[in-house]
Amino acid sequence: MRLRDLRAELVKRKTWNEEGQQREGFVAVASIAEADGLFFLCPKCFEMNGGEVGTHRVLCWFVGKVPDDVDPKPGRWIPAGTGIDDITFVGPAAASVLLTSGCNWHGFVRNGDAS
Ligand SMILES: [Zn+2]
């Protein structure tokens, strides 16, 4: 399924302090070079639910961009390509995406497609 149809966004991690509490989030950015990760609707649940309603999202952080102890973990991926339309997760680290809870989706991000 095309990442565009899964409302994929390249995102950058953001942390800030609010009333003495460390907060975490992320914001959308334009390019892979700026991005720390890829955020998209789960293709398995999208298909099962017939669309976005009730479908959770998947967040994949990139290798070397986000500390290893930041959720979701432990997976980190290496992105290749120029943007959402041709992004591919490449080796030598694990190239596939496996969700270890919830729907247990296991798939690949290749050439702008998640399946
Ligand atoms: Zn799912």
Side-chain angles (χ1 to χ4, degrees), residues 9-14 25-29:
E9 290 181 310
L10 291 162
V11 296
K12 187 167 184 58
R13 181 173 174 242
K14 187 182 161 190
F26 49 83
V27 292
V29 293

Side-chain angles (χ1 to χ4, degrees), residues 32 62-63 77-81 87-90:
I32 290 177
F62 300 155
V63 169
W77 290 268
I78 301 171
I87 190 169
T88 298
F89 288 168
V90 297

Side-chain angles (χ1 to χ4, degrees), residues 59-115:
L59 175 59
C60 295
W61 292 131
F62 300 155
V63 169
K65 294 284 197 155
V66 171
D68 287 345
D69 60 352
V70 173
D71 284 319
K73 59 192 181 198
R76 295 289 185 265
W77 290 268
I78 301 171
T82 60
I84 292 290
D85 293 311
D86 69 352
I87 190 169
T88 298
F89 288 168
V90 297
S96 73
V97 179
L98 171 63
L99 302 184
T100 53
S101 62
C103 71
N104 294 306
W105 176 61
H106 187 202
F108 290 86
V109 170
R110 280 186 293 223
N111 201 24
D113 203 274
S115 55

Side-chain angles (χ1 to χ4, degrees), residues 42 44-45 56 103:
C42 172
K44 181 178 177 178
C45 296
H56 66 100
C103 71

